[in-house]
Amino acid sequence: MGTEAFEALARLAEERVDHRFKGLPPDADGLTVGELTAQRRNLFTGGFTTPVLTLSAERLEHNLRLMKTYTARHGLVFAPHGKTSMAPQLFARQIEHGAVGITLAVPHQLRVARAFGVQRIFLANELVDPVSLRWVAAELDADPDFEFVCYVDSVRGVELMGAALPDVGRPLDVVVELAAGEGARTGVRTEAEAALVADAVAAVPSLRLAGVAGYEGEVPQATPERVRAWLDRLVALAADFDKAGRFAGLHEIVVSAGGSAWFDTVAEVFAEIPELSSPVCKLLRSGAYVSHDDGHYRKLTPFNRVPQEGALEPAFRLWTQVVSRPSPDQAFVNAGKRDAAYDLDLPFAQLVRRDGTERPATGVSVTGLSDQHAWLRTTREADLRVGDWLGLGLSHPCTTFDKWPLIPVAEADGTVVDYIRTFF
């Protein structure tokens, strides 16, 4: 990332703290984020209010380092999915830890990444909006170092792209998306369809076929065997395209897959990609690793299957406060759907904090969420009082980051050392 990118990131520290940012100390209003960071306030004694979402400084760094090591060990090019966090500061740290760029999903996200100097973007989605296509083309023309790739999966989509870009300087690179099976998400369903789409790309001067891609996380009833079978199809499609001369003149051929649940299988299959006419860019896109979670991805992480590779650590904790204890078996805290991910799993009660002391939240479970309350079930073992702070673990980071525009990063002792700005 160049000078302009660092300057854009530095400007984030100049933003003023005010009512827009949940959980921050009221007496910090008017300070810049940089000034508040320099104060190194303590999360528990520095005026923060509940609910407040935090990221663990130590676990965040651990996860970044682990995936850097993993991708290097397996010879993978890494462009993690930035839609997980939409946090330019985390984009920068991921690139510092070996990522070549960032994967995104929709045009708004492209504009955020470019505003903060991301030079290599993989759009894991089709792009047929003419306004956005012309914007991307202008970015490519203005910056010779900017690299961009997106999906195509239909002849109609290719035609729309060509109509939007009748006369461009650099052609726009595209990869044919292979669907993960019948009933899966986007992508061509058959290799014959893929060939038709590739032929359509070849007929449009403003487009260039750069490879093939897809998302194995959409394989119906996914198992290691089913995922491997689909990945074998993806690799075979790349080999067939190359044999047919569709990649002539490329300096590298993109073969891309990889969510956060099956990247071990991706690594295994990509290690077996045969030699093609140009070097292969084996592009992995797993993004949820940066924060990990206590639910969905903790259950599915490939590191459960290959523990010798290491282990990701959940970096989120949502601190809430007990505001009601209406009966011995029920309590309520002041965080709900506006604050916690709930699309896949409910939050997990982890720690109770009282008078500066933390202990496990024994006998406490979250049974439901209202807009601004979490419903707690408590057993006889639960020692929970009104006023206690309750630390919750969260599932599915993709629907956690989007609820918090400014997230404190706290060390293990509660010292807040940074604030992560998100853009959703």
Side-chain angles (χ1 to χ4, degrees):
M1 300 180 76
T3 302
E4 291 185 4
F6 287 112
E7 290 175 351
L9 289 168
R11 285 195 293 273
L12 291 177
E14 299 171 3
E15 190 167 15
R16 295 286 173 182
V17 174
D18 57 25
H19 59 276
R20 294 170 295 161
F21 304 123
K22 299 189 290 184
L24 299 192
D27 67 351
D29 277 11
L31 296 177
T32 66
V33 173
E35 289 167 344
L36 181 58
T37 302
Q39 292 182 356
R40 294 177 64 85
R41 296 196 186 197
N42 187 277
L43 182 69
F44 306 108
T45 62
F48 291 84
T49 63
T50 58
V52 58
L53 179 71
T54 64
L55 279 165
S56 163
E58 295 87 354
R59 292 185 171 197
L60 186 61
E61 179 65 20
H62 167 82
N63 293 343
L64 290 164
R65 290 180 179 274
L66 180 62
M67 284 301 285
K68 176 182 180 179
T69 300
Y70 180 86
T71 53
R73 181 185 301 131
H74 291 279
L76 299 170
V77 177
F78 193 34
H81 220 314
K83 59 93 176 172
T84 300
S85 69
M86 284 309 297
Q89 292 150 286
L90 295 183
F91 296 172
R93 292 189 64 179
Q94 289 170 305
I95 291 169
E96 289 169 5
H97 285 78
V100 299
I102 297 295
T103 296
L104 297 165
V106 294
H108 156 71
Q109 296 168 358
L110 298 179
R111 294 185 62 197
V112 172
R114 287 297 289 161
F116 288 89
V118 177
Q119 288 293 86
R120 192 169 184 179
I121 294 176
F122 187 95
L123 187 72
N125 205 350
E126 285 68 26
L127 183 61
V128 296
D129 169 41
V131 173
S132 299
L133 283 164
R134 288 192 288 268
W135 179 85
V136 170
E139 290 290 299
L140 289 166
D141 287 345
D143 184 353
D145 294 324
F146 176 41
E147 298 181 39
F148 176 83
V149 180
C150 72
Y151 284 175
V152 290
D153 76 346
S154 68
V155 172
R156 169 65 174 165
V158 172
E159 291 172 347
L160 290 171
M161 296 177 79
L165 303 172
D167 183 22
V168 296
R170 274 203 287 163
L172 193 150
D173 284 340
V174 298
V175 291
V176 173
E177 182 192 7
L178 179 67
E182 285 298 327
R185 206 164 58 187
T186 53
V188 297
R189 265 43 182 175
T190 68
E191 283 73 4
E193 289 179 83
L196 291 175
V197 174
D199 287 341
V201 171
V204 177
S206 56
L207 302 180
R208 181 174 68 169
L209 184 64
V212 298
Y215 175 45
E216 76 291 339
E218 288 292 318
V219 169
Q221 300 174 319
T223 63
E225 294 75 23
R226 287 175 180 267
V227 170
R228 171 175 274 274
W230 176 80
L231 286 164
D232 285 340
R233 283 183 62 201
L234 184 70
V235 170
L237 181 62
D240 288 346
F241 276 8
D242 190 52
K243 186 177 180 180
R246 297 186 186 278
F247 299 138
L250 293 181
H251 72 280
E252 66 177 11
I253 299 166
V254 176
V255 181
S256 179
S260 294
W262 297 101
F263 56 74
D264 58 331
T265 310
V266 173
E268 291 170 6
V269 175
F270 279 14
E272 302 166 0
I273 293 177
E275 184 176 347
L276 301 182
S277 60
S278 295
V280 178
C281 174
K282 303 174 183 179
L283 186 67
L284 183 72
R285 309 191 307 267
S286 312
Y289 81 98
V290 69
S291 63
H292 201 41
D293 65 21
D294 281 290
H296 181 69
Y297 287 116
R298 190 169 193 173
K299 290 180 287 188
L300 295 178
T301 176
F303 291 127
N304 289 339
R305 297 186 290 270
V306 282
Q308 67 272 20
E309 298 272 18
L312 294 168
E313 297 178 351
F316 277 131
R317 179 156 289 147
L318 178 62
W319 284 102
T320 67
Q321 194 164 26
V322 179
V323 293
S324 181
R325 190 80 162 94
S327 68
D329 63 355
Q330 194 175 36
F332 293 86
V333 292
N334 62 346
K337 293 179 181 179
R338 310 297 185 201
D339 313 297
Y342 61 92
D343 57 323
L344 295 179
D345 295 291
L346 290 171
F348 307 91
Q350 294 179 328
L351 293 174
V352 176
R353 184 177 180 89
R354 181 189 302 161
D355 299 329
T357 301
E358 293 180 6
R359 54 182 170 76
T362 305
V364 182
S365 59
V366 179
T367 60
L369 294 178
S370 298
D371 285 351
Q372 304 291 177
H373 293 92
W375 296 58
L376 307 181
R377 178 66 59 189
T378 56
T379 67
R380 291 182 179 180
E381 293 79 19
D383 176 14
L384 201 63
R385 302 178 191 170
V386 170
D388 288 347
W389 280 36
L390 180 69
L392 302 177
L394 300 176
S395 173
H396 203 196
C398 298
T399 51
T400 296
F401 278 104
D402 63 352
K403 301 177 188 303
W404 294 85
L406 196 63
I407 305 171
V409 179
E411 294 180 337
D413 65 357
T415 302
V416 177
V417 295
D418 200 2
Y419 296 83
I420 301 297
R421 185 72 160 94
T422 65
F423 293 86
F424 283 93

